[in-house]
Amino acid sequence: QLSNISKIEKYSFGEKSTLLSDIKDSRPVFAFDYLSLNSSNLCFNSKLLNGVKEYQRIFESLKTLSSKNYDELSKNRTFHFHEVDFDDTTISESEFVKCLTPNSAKTKSDNIPTVYQFKIFDKARIFGFIYKSVFYLVFLIETTKVMKENN
């Protein structure tokens, strides 16, 4: 398994996301290259996280998720794994893009990878994107704080 890791190509901004249908039998490998750590409420170092126990829950959930393939994750509603519609959130797509490139203002929409979310625990979700079966984690959010009222 470890020998395959060295063969994984890293994502470069502007490359097309991988279609979920092309990797449905693959299990996610998690990457942290674009992890948001600027201490906002959308970040993995947010003050909203309640200490070691919540970080432990994050890692336990990632371990569980990595044992499933993308097809299982998308079909089992327990994981809440699906594409993100930014119209349903208070987060803008531009906030997401700022984590991927320093030139976010000049970004064309067709350069933005497809954003997915999955449940990590309770109301906590991880937003990220997939490139060649690797899930790049970006935001850790609490759904009650970012989902619009009418949804």
Side-chain angles (χ1 to χ4, degrees), residues 98-147:
K98 284 178 189 175
C99 296
L100 307 183
T101 180
N103 300 319
S104 60
K106 298 178 182 177
T107 302
K108 296 177 186 172
S109 62
D110 56 341
N111 286 343
I112 300 169
T114 303
V115 181
Y116 292 91
Q117 73 156 25
F118 56 82
K119 180 178 181 175
I120 202 74
F121 59 82
D122 300 333
K123 299 287 184 188
R125 304 290 186 269
I126 288 181
F127 279 27
F129 63 95
I130 301 167
Y131 180 72
K132 301 201 177 193
S133 80
V134 176
F135 190 96
Y136 287 84
L137 291 82
V138 179
F139 287 151
L140 175 67
I141 59 109
E142 185 179 332
T143 56
T144 57
K145 298 197 183 317
V146 301
M147 301 311 286

